[in-house]
Amino acid sequence: MESKNYLEDISEIKTMMSRSSRFISLSGLSGILAGIYALVGAALAYLKLNAGSYYYDAIPRSGYEKLEPSMIADLLSIAVGVIVLALLTGIVLSMRKAKRSGEKIWDVTSKRLVLNFFIPLVAGGIFCLVLLQYGIVGLVASATLIFYGLACVNASKYTLGDVRYLGIANIVLGLIATQFIGYGIFFWALGFGVLHIVYGAVMHFKYDRKTV
């Protein structure tokens, strides 16, 4: 009997330590919605590129394409819109989940999570702008997937371990996309869209239902 209580105490201590060192209020539903936003954004970008007769011309051959400034602005607007919607949704749903479980949404752990996530992400964003500057459009989708994957892996030590697998999957997908220049938008939709929906569904059924 005493041994059973001792094991329960150890389990409770481990749970408390995990809660104090990891941000566990990430919402699986926000991952699903982020994936949907990404698919819509990819569809809009695809239509925009096809309307300008860019997609199946020079890009599949070399990866270099001189896009008009207006086209670049439109594509960046779509990307920023998807990012803003995903972030706002993630913040709102994570706050709701934290409130239900009695956790703090903004503490030392969440600050470390955000910092470690955004360092690779911001670096990747700047790198993608440089690619656009030199007209290397064919590698932009690959670069976004790789740097986003690195951001997830880098931040995973401060949150649920499942984020690491999402990051690794995006890195692998981004590397594969480098060999299929001109079809990056499909890989972009697969990584940011489909993988996020699958990840969000797994997170929801694995963690979120326990807090409802």
Short mmCIF file of all heavy atoms in Angstrom, two decimals, residues 54-120:
data_model
loop_
_atom_site.label_atom_id
_atom_site.label_comp_id
_atom_site.label_asym_id
_atom_site.label_seq_id
_atom_site.Cartn_x
_atom_site.Cartn_y
_atom_site.Cartn_z
N TYR A 54 2.51 32.44 -64.73
CA TYR A 54 3.86 32.22 -64.21
C TYR A 54 4.13 30.75 -63.91
O TYR A 54 5.22 30.27 -64.09
CB TYR A 54 4.08 33.02 -62.91
CG TYR A 54 4.19 34.50 -63.13
CD1 TYR A 54 3.18 35.34 -62.69
CD2 TYR A 54 5.30 35.05 -63.74
CE1 TYR A 54 3.27 36.71 -62.88
CE2 TYR A 54 5.40 36.42 -63.93
CZ TYR A 54 4.38 37.24 -63.50
OH TYR A 54 4.48 38.58 -63.67
N TYR A 55 3.13 30.07 -63.42
CA TYR A 55 3.40 28.84 -62.68
C TYR A 55 4.09 27.74 -63.49
O TYR A 55 5.03 27.12 -63.02
CB TYR A 55 2.12 28.31 -62.06
CG TYR A 55 2.43 27.42 -60.91
CD1 TYR A 55 2.88 27.96 -59.72
CD2 TYR A 55 2.36 26.05 -61.02
CE1 TYR A 55 3.22 27.16 -58.65
CE2 TYR A 55 2.69 25.25 -59.96
CZ TYR A 55 3.12 25.79 -58.79
OH TYR A 55 3.46 25.01 -57.74
N TYR A 56 3.64 27.49 -64.70
CA TYR A 56 4.22 26.38 -65.45
C TYR A 56 5.15 26.84 -66.58
O TYR A 56 5.43 26.10 -67.50
CB TYR A 56 3.10 25.50 -66.04
CG TYR A 56 2.40 24.70 -64.99
CD1 TYR A 56 1.13 25.03 -64.59
CD2 TYR A 56 3.04 23.62 -64.37
CE1 TYR A 56 0.49 24.29 -63.60
CE2 TYR A 56 2.40 22.88 -63.39
CZ TYR A 56 1.13 23.22 -63.02
OH TYR A 56 0.49 22.49 -62.05
N ASP A 57 5.64 28.07 -66.50
CA ASP A 57 6.55 28.57 -67.53
C ASP A 57 8.00 28.36 -67.13
O ASP A 57 8.56 27.29 -67.26
CB ASP A 57 6.27 30.05 -67.82
CG ASP A 57 4.95 30.22 -68.57
OD1 ASP A 57 4.51 29.25 -69.19
OD2 ASP A 57 4.37 31.31 -68.50
N ALA A 58 8.64 29.43 -66.61
CA ALA A 58 10.08 29.36 -66.33
C ALA A 58 10.41 28.66 -65.03
O ALA A 58 11.48 28.08 -64.89
CB ALA A 58 10.67 30.77 -66.32
N ILE A 59 9.50 28.70 -64.06
CA ILE A 59 9.83 28.19 -62.73
C ILE A 59 10.20 26.71 -62.72
O ILE A 59 11.21 26.32 -62.14
CB ILE A 59 8.69 28.48 -61.73
CG1 ILE A 59 8.50 29.98 -61.60
CG2 ILE A 59 9.01 27.89 -60.37
CD1 ILE A 59 7.37 30.38 -60.68
N PRO A 60 9.45 25.82 -63.38
CA PRO A 60 9.83 24.40 -63.34
C PRO A 60 11.19 24.13 -63.98
O PRO A 60 11.82 23.13 -63.66
CB PRO A 60 8.71 23.72 -64.13
CG PRO A 60 7.55 24.64 -64.00
CD PRO A 60 8.16 26.02 -64.03
N ARG A 61 11.66 24.99 -64.88
CA ARG A 61 12.92 24.73 -65.57
C ARG A 61 14.14 25.11 -64.73
O ARG A 61 15.12 24.40 -64.68
CB ARG A 61 12.96 25.50 -66.89
CG ARG A 61 11.86 25.08 -67.86
CD ARG A 61 12.11 25.70 -69.22
NE ARG A 61 10.99 25.43 -70.12
CZ ARG A 61 10.03 26.30 -70.36
NH1 ARG A 61 10.03 27.48 -69.77
NH2 ARG A 61 9.05 26.00 -71.18
N SER A 62 14.09 26.30 -64.10
CA SER A 62 15.30 26.80 -63.45
C SER A 62 15.13 27.24 -62.00
O SER A 62 16.08 27.30 -61.26
CB SER A 62 15.85 27.99 -64.24
OG SER A 62 14.92 29.06 -64.20
N GLY A 63 13.89 27.57 -61.61
CA GLY A 63 13.68 28.10 -60.26
C GLY A 63 13.83 29.60 -60.22
O GLY A 63 13.59 30.21 -59.19
N TYR A 64 14.22 30.22 -61.33
CA TYR A 64 14.37 31.67 -61.39
C TYR A 64 13.19 32.25 -62.18
O TYR A 64 12.84 31.76 -63.24
CB TYR A 64 15.68 32.06 -62.10
CG TYR A 64 16.90 31.74 -61.30
CD1 TYR A 64 17.46 30.47 -61.35
CD2 TYR A 64 17.51 32.70 -60.50
CE1 TYR A 64 18.60 30.17 -60.62
CE2 TYR A 64 18.64 32.40 -59.76
CZ TYR A 64 19.18 31.14 -59.84
OH TYR A 64 20.29 30.84 -59.10
N GLU A 65 12.63 33.31 -61.64
CA GLU A 65 11.53 33.96 -62.32
C GLU A 65 11.41 35.39 -61.83
O GLU A 65 11.41 35.62 -60.62
CB GLU A 65 10.22 33.21 -62.05
CG GLU A 65 9.00 33.84 -62.71
CD GLU A 65 8.99 33.65 -64.22
OE1 GLU A 65 9.81 32.89 -64.73
OE2 GLU A 65 8.15 34.28 -64.87
N LYS A 66 11.33 36.32 -62.74
CA LYS A 66 11.18 37.73 -62.37
C LYS A 66 9.70 38.06 -62.25
O LYS A 66 9.01 38.25 -63.24
CB LYS A 66 11.85 38.62 -63.41
CG LYS A 66 13.37 38.49 -63.45
CD LYS A 66 13.98 39.44 -64.46
CE LYS A 66 15.49 39.31 -64.48
NZ LYS A 66 16.12 40.22 -65.46
N LEU A 67 9.23 38.08 -61.02
CA LEU A 67 7.84 38.43 -60.78
C LEU A 67 7.69 39.94 -60.67
O LEU A 67 8.59 40.63 -60.19
CB LEU A 67 7.35 37.78 -59.48
CG LEU A 67 7.34 36.25 -59.44
CD1 LEU A 67 6.84 35.78 -58.09
CD2 LEU A 67 6.49 35.68 -60.55
N GLU A 68 6.58 40.42 -61.13
CA GLU A 68 6.29 41.84 -61.01
C GLU A 68 6.12 42.20 -59.55
O GLU A 68 5.64 41.39 -58.75
CB GLU A 68 5.02 42.19 -61.79
CG GLU A 68 5.12 41.93 -63.28
CD GLU A 68 3.82 42.23 -63.99
OE1 GLU A 68 2.84 42.61 -63.29
OE2 GLU A 68 3.77 42.08 -65.22
N PRO A 69 6.49 43.44 -59.17
CA PRO A 69 6.33 43.88 -57.77
C PRO A 69 4.91 43.71 -57.25
O PRO A 69 4.70 43.35 -56.09
CB PRO A 69 6.73 45.35 -57.82
CG PRO A 69 7.67 45.43 -58.97
CD PRO A 69 7.16 44.46 -59.99
N SER A 70 3.92 43.93 -58.12
CA SER A 70 2.52 43.79 -57.70
C SER A 70 2.19 42.34 -57.37
O SER A 70 1.44 42.05 -56.43
CB SER A 70 1.57 44.31 -58.79
OG SER A 70 1.77 43.58 -60.00
N MET A 71 2.78 41.40 -58.15
CA MET A 71 2.56 39.98 -57.90
C MET A 71 3.20 39.57 -56.57
O MET A 71 2.59 38.84 -55.77
CB MET A 71 3.14 39.14 -59.04
CG MET A 71 3.06 37.64 -58.83
SD MET A 71 1.37 37.02 -58.83
CE MET A 71 0.99 37.12 -60.59
N ILE A 72 4.43 40.04 -56.34
CA ILE A 72 5.11 39.73 -55.08
C ILE A 72 4.33 40.28 -53.90
O ILE A 72 4.16 39.61 -52.87
CB ILE A 72 6.55 40.31 -55.09
CG1 ILE A 72 7.39 39.59 -56.14
CG2 ILE A 72 7.19 40.17 -53.71
CD1 ILE A 72 8.80 40.15 -56.28
N ALA A 73 3.81 41.51 -54.05
CA ALA A 73 3.03 42.14 -52.98
C ALA A 73 1.77 41.33 -52.69
O ALA A 73 1.40 41.14 -51.52
CB ALA A 73 2.67 43.57 -53.36
N ASP A 74 1.11 40.85 -53.74
CA ASP A 74 -0.11 40.06 -53.55
C ASP A 74 0.19 38.74 -52.84
O ASP A 74 -0.55 38.32 -51.93
CB ASP A 74 -0.77 39.76 -54.90
CG ASP A 74 -1.40 41.00 -55.51
OD1 ASP A 74 -1.64 41.97 -54.76
OD2 ASP A 74 -1.65 41.01 -56.74
N LEU A 75 1.27 38.07 -53.25
CA LEU A 75 1.63 36.79 -52.63
C LEU A 75 2.04 36.98 -51.17
O LEU A 75 1.68 36.17 -50.31
CB LEU A 75 2.76 36.13 -53.41
CG LEU A 75 2.42 35.69 -54.84
CD1 LEU A 75 3.65 35.12 -55.52
CD2 LEU A 75 1.28 34.68 -54.86
N LEU A 76 2.79 38.05 -50.90
CA LEU A 76 3.18 38.34 -49.52
C LEU A 76 1.96 38.67 -48.66
O LEU A 76 1.89 38.30 -47.49
CB LEU A 76 4.19 39.49 -49.48
CG LEU A 76 5.60 39.17 -49.97
CD1 LEU A 76 6.47 40.42 -49.95
CD2 LEU A 76 6.24 38.07 -49.13
N SER A 77 1.00 39.38 -49.26
CA SER A 77 -0.23 39.72 -48.52
C SER A 77 -0.99 38.45 -48.13
O SER A 77 -1.52 38.35 -47.02
CB SER A 77 -1.12 40.63 -49.38
OG SER A 77 -0.48 41.85 -49.64
N ILE A 78 -1.05 37.50 -49.05
CA ILE A 78 -1.73 36.23 -48.76
C ILE A 78 -1.01 35.50 -47.63
O ILE A 78 -1.64 35.00 -46.68
CB ILE A 78 -1.79 35.35 -50.02
CG1 ILE A 78 -2.70 35.98 -51.07
CG2 ILE A 78 -2.28 33.94 -49.67
CD1 ILE A 78 -2.67 35.27 -52.41
N ALA A 79 0.34 35.45 -47.72
CA ALA A 79 1.13 34.75 -46.70
C ALA A 79 0.97 35.41 -45.34
O ALA A 79 0.77 34.73 -44.32
CB ALA A 79 2.60 34.73 -47.11
N VAL A 80 1.05 36.74 -45.31
CA VAL A 80 0.90 37.47 -44.04
C VAL A 80 -0.50 37.27 -43.46
O VAL A 80 -0.67 37.09 -42.25
CB VAL A 80 1.19 38.97 -44.24
CG1 VAL A 80 0.81 39.77 -42.99
CG2 VAL A 80 2.66 39.19 -44.57
N GLY A 81 -1.50 37.27 -44.34
CA GLY A 81 -2.88 37.05 -43.87
C GLY A 81 -3.04 35.70 -43.21
O GLY A 81 -3.68 35.57 -42.16
N VAL A 82 -2.45 34.66 -43.83
CA VAL A 82 -2.52 33.30 -43.26
C VAL A 82 -1.82 33.25 -41.91
O VAL A 82 -2.34 32.68 -40.94
CB VAL A 82 -1.89 32.28 -44.24
CG1 VAL A 82 -1.73 30.92 -43.55
CG2 VAL A 82 -2.74 32.14 -45.49
N ILE A 83 -0.63 33.87 -41.84
CA ILE A 83 0.14 33.86 -40.58
C ILE A 83 -0.61 34.57 -39.47
O ILE A 83 -0.70 34.08 -38.34
CB ILE A 83 1.52 34.51 -40.81
CG1 ILE A 83 2.37 33.64 -41.73
CG2 ILE A 83 2.25 34.71 -39.47
CD1 ILE A 83 3.66 34.30 -42.18
N VAL A 84 -1.17 35.75 -39.78
CA VAL A 84 -1.89 36.54 -38.76
C VAL A 84 -3.11 35.79 -38.26
O VAL A 84 -3.35 35.70 -37.04
CB VAL A 84 -2.30 37.91 -39.33
CG1 VAL A 84 -3.25 38.63 -38.38
CG2 VAL A 84 -1.06 38.78 -39.58
N LEU A 85 -3.88 35.20 -39.18
CA LEU A 85 -5.06 34.44 -38.77
C LEU A 85 -4.68 33.24 -37.90
O LEU A 85 -5.32 32.96 -36.89
CB LEU A 85 -5.83 33.96 -40.01
CG LEU A 85 -6.73 34.97 -40.70
CD1 LEU A 85 -7.30 34.37 -41.99
CD2 LEU A 85 -7.87 35.42 -39.78
N ALA A 86 -3.61 32.54 -38.31
CA ALA A 86 -3.17 31.36 -37.55
C ALA A 86 -2.70 31.75 -36.16
O ALA A 86 -3.01 31.09 -35.16
CB ALA A 86 -2.06 30.64 -38.31
N LEU A 87 -1.93 32.85 -36.06
CA LEU A 87 -1.43 33.30 -34.76
C LEU A 87 -2.56 33.74 -33.85
O LEU A 87 -2.60 33.37 -32.66
CB LEU A 87 -0.43 34.44 -34.95
CG LEU A 87 0.96 34.06 -35.47
CD1 LEU A 87 1.79 35.31 -35.71
CD2 LEU A 87 1.67 33.14 -34.48
N LEU A 88 -3.48 34.54 -34.37
CA LEU A 88 -4.60 35.01 -33.56
C LEU A 88 -5.46 33.84 -33.07
O LEU A 88 -5.86 33.80 -31.90
CB LEU A 88 -5.46 35.99 -34.36
CG LEU A 88 -4.84 37.37 -34.63
CD1 LEU A 88 -5.77 38.21 -35.51
CD2 LEU A 88 -4.55 38.10 -33.32
N THR A 89 -5.73 32.90 -33.97
CA THR A 89 -6.51 31.73 -33.59
C THR A 89 -5.79 30.92 -32.52
O THR A 89 -6.39 30.48 -31.53
CB THR A 89 -6.77 30.83 -34.81
OG1 THR A 89 -7.46 31.59 -35.81
CG2 THR A 89 -7.61 29.62 -34.43
N GLY A 90 -4.47 30.73 -32.71
CA GLY A 90 -3.69 29.97 -31.73
C GLY A 90 -3.69 30.64 -30.37
O GLY A 90 -3.82 29.96 -29.34
N ILE A 91 -3.54 31.96 -30.34
CA ILE A 91 -3.51 32.69 -29.07
C ILE A 91 -4.85 32.60 -28.34
O ILE A 91 -4.91 32.29 -27.15
CB ILE A 91 -3.14 34.17 -29.31
CG1 ILE A 91 -1.68 34.27 -29.76
CG2 ILE A 91 -3.35 34.99 -28.04
CD1 ILE A 91 -1.29 35.66 -30.22
N VAL A 92 -5.94 32.84 -29.08
CA VAL A 92 -7.27 32.83 -28.47
C VAL A 92 -7.62 31.45 -27.92
O VAL A 92 -8.06 31.30 -26.77
CB VAL A 92 -8.34 33.27 -29.50
CG1 VAL A 92 -9.74 33.05 -28.94
CG2 VAL A 92 -8.16 34.75 -29.85
N LEU A 93 -7.40 30.40 -28.73
CA LEU A 93 -7.76 29.04 -28.30
C LEU A 93 -6.84 28.53 -27.20
O LEU A 93 -7.27 27.79 -26.31
CB LEU A 93 -7.74 28.09 -29.50
CG LEU A 93 -8.81 28.36 -30.56
CD1 LEU A 93 -8.72 27.35 -31.69
CD2 LEU A 93 -10.22 28.32 -29.95
N SER A 94 -5.56 28.92 -27.24
CA SER A 94 -4.64 28.51 -26.18
C SER A 94 -4.99 29.20 -24.86
O SER A 94 -4.89 28.59 -23.79
CB SER A 94 -3.19 28.85 -26.57
OG SER A 94 -2.78 28.04 -27.66
N MET A 95 -5.41 30.47 -24.94
CA MET A 95 -5.85 31.18 -23.74
C MET A 95 -7.07 30.50 -23.14
O MET A 95 -7.17 30.35 -21.92
CB MET A 95 -6.15 32.64 -24.08
CG MET A 95 -4.92 33.49 -24.37
SD MET A 95 -5.33 35.20 -24.82
CE MET A 95 -6.08 35.77 -23.27
N ARG A 96 -7.99 30.09 -24.00
CA ARG A 96 -9.19 29.42 -23.50
C ARG A 96 -8.85 28.08 -22.85
O ARG A 96 -9.38 27.73 -21.79
CB ARG A 96 -10.17 29.20 -24.66
CG ARG A 96 -11.52 28.67 -24.22
CD ARG A 96 -12.48 28.55 -25.38
NE ARG A 96 -12.10 27.47 -26.27
CZ ARG A 96 -12.83 27.06 -27.31
NH1 ARG A 96 -13.96 27.70 -27.59
NH2 ARG A 96 -12.43 26.08 -28.07
N LYS A 97 -7.91 27.34 -23.48
CA LYS A 97 -7.51 26.05 -22.92
C LYS A 97 -6.77 26.24 -21.60
O LYS A 97 -6.99 25.49 -20.64
CB LYS A 97 -6.62 25.31 -23.91
CG LYS A 97 -6.19 23.93 -23.43
CD LYS A 97 -5.33 23.23 -24.46
CE LYS A 97 -4.84 21.89 -23.94
NZ LYS A 97 -3.98 21.20 -24.93
N ALA A 98 -5.90 27.26 -21.52
CA ALA A 98 -5.16 27.53 -20.29
C ALA A 98 -6.11 27.91 -19.15
O ALA A 98 -5.92 27.51 -18.00
CB ALA A 98 -4.15 28.65 -20.53
N LYS A 99 -7.15 28.68 -19.48
CA LYS A 99 -8.11 29.09 -18.47
C LYS A 99 -8.86 27.88 -17.91
O LYS A 99 -9.11 27.78 -16.71
CB LYS A 99 -9.09 30.09 -19.07
CG LYS A 99 -10.07 30.68 -18.07
CD LYS A 99 -10.96 31.73 -18.73
CE LYS A 99 -11.94 32.31 -17.71
NZ LYS A 99 -12.82 33.34 -18.34
N ARG A 100 -9.22 26.95 -18.80
CA ARG A 100 -9.94 25.76 -18.37
C ARG A 100 -9.09 24.87 -17.46
O ARG A 100 -9.59 24.28 -16.51
CB ARG A 100 -10.37 24.94 -19.59
CG ARG A 100 -11.53 25.56 -20.37
CD ARG A 100 -11.85 24.70 -21.57
NE ARG A 100 -13.01 25.20 -22.30
CZ ARG A 100 -13.46 24.68 -23.44
NH1 ARG A 100 -12.81 23.64 -23.99
NH2 ARG A 100 -14.51 25.18 -24.04
N SER A 101 -7.78 24.79 -17.78
CA SER A 101 -6.90 23.92 -17.00
C SER A 101 -6.22 24.64 -15.84
O SER A 101 -5.43 24.04 -15.12
CB SER A 101 -5.84 23.30 -17.92
OG SER A 101 -5.07 24.32 -18.54
N GLY A 102 -6.52 25.93 -15.68
CA GLY A 102 -5.94 26.69 -14.59
C GLY A 102 -4.47 27.03 -14.77
O GLY A 102 -3.76 27.25 -13.79
N GLU A 103 -4.00 27.08 -16.02
CA GLU A 103 -2.61 27.39 -16.31
C GLU A 103 -2.44 28.86 -16.69
O GLU A 103 -3.38 29.50 -17.17
CB GLU A 103 -2.09 26.52 -17.46
CG GLU A 103 -2.19 25.03 -17.20
CD GLU A 103 -1.21 24.58 -16.14
OE1 GLU A 103 -0.14 25.19 -16.02
OE2 GLU A 103 -1.53 23.60 -15.43
N LYS A 104 -1.23 29.39 -16.49
CA LYS A 104 -0.92 30.75 -16.91
C LYS A 104 -0.54 30.73 -18.39
O LYS A 104 0.21 29.89 -18.84
CB LYS A 104 0.24 31.32 -16.09
CG LYS A 104 -0.11 31.60 -14.63
CD LYS A 104 1.08 32.23 -13.92
CE LYS A 104 0.74 32.55 -12.47
NZ LYS A 104 1.89 33.17 -11.76
N ILE A 105 -1.08 31.71 -19.14
CA ILE A 105 -0.79 31.76 -20.56
C ILE A 105 0.54 32.44 -20.84
O ILE A 105 1.18 32.18 -21.85
CB ILE A 105 -1.94 32.49 -21.31
CG1 ILE A 105 -1.78 32.35 -22.83
CG2 ILE A 105 -1.98 33.95 -20.91
CD1 ILE A 105 -1.94 30.98 -23.37
N TRP A 106 0.98 33.35 -19.97
CA TRP A 106 2.21 34.11 -20.22
C TRP A 106 3.10 34.04 -18.99
O TRP A 106 2.90 34.74 -18.01
CB TRP A 106 1.88 35.56 -20.56
CG TRP A 106 3.04 36.35 -21.08
CD1 TRP A 106 3.62 37.44 -20.50
CD2 TRP A 106 3.78 36.13 -22.29
NE1 TRP A 106 4.66 37.90 -21.27
CE2 TRP A 106 4.79 37.12 -22.38
CE3 TRP A 106 3.70 35.17 -23.31
CZ2 TRP A 106 5.70 37.19 -23.43
CZ3 TRP A 106 4.60 35.24 -24.37
CH2 TRP A 106 5.57 36.24 -24.43
N ASP A 107 4.08 33.16 -19.03
CA ASP A 107 5.04 33.02 -17.94
C ASP A 107 6.42 32.79 -18.54
O ASP A 107 6.63 32.99 -19.74
CB ASP A 107 4.63 31.87 -17.01
CG ASP A 107 4.46 30.56 -17.75
OD1 ASP A 107 4.90 30.47 -18.92
OD2 ASP A 107 3.89 29.62 -17.17
N VAL A 108 7.37 32.40 -17.70
CA VAL A 108 8.75 32.21 -18.18
C VAL A 108 8.81 31.15 -19.28
O VAL A 108 9.51 31.32 -20.29
CB VAL A 108 9.66 31.81 -17.00
CG1 VAL A 108 11.06 31.48 -17.52
CG2 VAL A 108 9.72 32.92 -15.97
N THR A 109 8.07 30.07 -19.12
CA THR A 109 8.11 28.98 -20.09
C THR A 109 7.54 29.41 -21.44
O THR A 109 8.12 29.13 -22.49
CB THR A 109 7.32 27.76 -19.57
OG1 THR A 109 7.86 27.35 -18.31
CG2 THR A 109 7.41 26.61 -20.55
N SER A 110 6.39 30.09 -21.43
CA SER A 110 5.80 30.53 -22.69
C SER A 110 6.66 31.58 -23.37
O SER A 110 6.73 31.63 -24.61
CB SER A 110 4.39 31.08 -22.45
OG SER A 110 4.39 32.13 -21.51
N LYS A 111 7.35 32.40 -22.59
CA LYS A 111 8.27 33.39 -23.18
C LYS A 111 9.43 32.69 -23.89
O LYS A 111 9.83 33.08 -24.99
CB LYS A 111 8.80 34.32 -22.10
CG LYS A 111 7.76 35.28 -21.53
CD LYS A 111 8.34 36.13 -20.41
CE LYS A 111 7.28 37.05 -19.82
NZ LYS A 111 7.80 37.86 -18.68
N ARG A 112 9.96 31.65 -23.25
CA ARG A 112 11.04 30.88 -23.87
C ARG A 112 10.54 30.18 -25.13
O ARG A 112 11.27 30.10 -26.14
CB ARG A 112 11.59 29.86 -22.88
CG ARG A 112 12.38 30.46 -21.73
CD ARG A 112 12.78 29.40 -20.73
NE ARG A 112 13.56 29.96 -19.63
CZ ARG A 112 13.91 29.29 -18.54
NH1 ARG A 112 13.54 28.01 -18.41
NH2 ARG A 112 14.62 29.87 -17.59
N LEU A 113 9.32 29.67 -25.08
CA LEU A 113 8.73 29.01 -26.24
C LEU A 113 8.64 29.98 -27.42
O LEU A 113 9.07 29.66 -28.54
CB LEU A 113 7.33 28.50 -25.88
CG LEU A 113 6.45 28.02 -27.04
CD1 LEU A 113 7.08 26.80 -27.71
CD2 LEU A 113 5.05 27.71 -26.54
N VAL A 114 8.10 31.16 -27.18
CA VAL A 114 7.95 32.15 -28.24
C VAL A 114 9.30 32.58 -28.80
O VAL A 114 9.49 32.67 -30.03
CB VAL A 114 7.17 33.38 -27.71
CG1 VAL A 114 7.20 34.52 -28.73
CG2 VAL A 114 5.73 33.00 -27.38
N LEU A 115 10.27 32.83 -27.91
CA LEU A 115 11.60 33.26 -28.35
C LEU A 115 12.27 32.21 -29.21
O LEU A 115 12.80 32.51 -30.30
CB LEU A 115 12.47 33.58 -27.13
CG LEU A 115 13.91 34.02 -27.42
CD1 LEU A 115 13.91 35.33 -28.18
CD2 LEU A 115 14.69 34.16 -26.12
N ASN A 116 12.27 30.96 -28.75
CA ASN A 116 12.92 29.89 -29.49
C ASN A 116 12.20 29.56 -30.79
O ASN A 116 12.83 29.05 -31.74
CB ASN A 116 13.02 28.63 -28.62
CG ASN A 116 14.14 28.71 -27.62
OD1 ASN A 116 15.26 28.29 -27.90
ND2 ASN A 116 13.85 29.25 -26.44
N PHE A 117 10.91 29.84 -30.85
CA PHE A 117 10.15 29.60 -32.08
C PHE A 117 10.42 30.68 -33.12
O PHE A 117 10.62 30.39 -34.30
CB PHE A 117 8.66 29.55 -31.75
CG PHE A 117 7.79 29.31 -32.95
CD1 PHE A 117 7.70 28.06 -33.54
CD2 PHE A 117 7.05 30.36 -33.50
CE1 PHE A 117 6.89 27.85 -34.66
CE2 PHE A 117 6.24 30.16 -34.60
CZ PHE A 117 6.17 28.90 -35.19
N PHE A 118 10.47 31.93 -32.68
CA PHE A 118 10.55 33.03 -33.63
C PHE A 118 11.96 33.32 -34.14
O PHE A 118 12.11 33.93 -35.19
CB PHE A 118 9.95 34.30 -33.03
CG PHE A 118 8.46 34.39 -33.20
CD1 PHE A 118 7.60 34.06 -32.16
CD2 PHE A 118 7.92 34.76 -34.42
CE1 PHE A 118 6.23 34.12 -32.33
CE2 PHE A 118 6.55 34.82 -34.60
CZ PHE A 118 5.70 34.50 -33.56
N ILE A 119 13.00 32.89 -33.43
CA ILE A 119 14.36 33.13 -33.92
C ILE A 119 14.58 32.46 -35.28
O ILE A 119 14.97 33.13 -36.25
CB ILE A 119 15.41 32.67 -32.89
CG1 ILE A 119 15.43 33.63 -31.69
CG2 ILE A 119 16.80 32.62 -33.53
CD1 ILE A 119 16.37 33.22 -30.58
N PRO A 120 14.36 31.15 -35.43
CA PRO A 120 14.51 30.53 -36.77
C PRO A 120 13.47 31.05 -37.76
O PRO A 120 13.76 31.18 -38.95
CB PRO A 120 14.30 29.03 -36.50
CG PRO A 120 14.50 28.86 -35.04
CD PRO A 120 14.01 30.13 -34.42
#
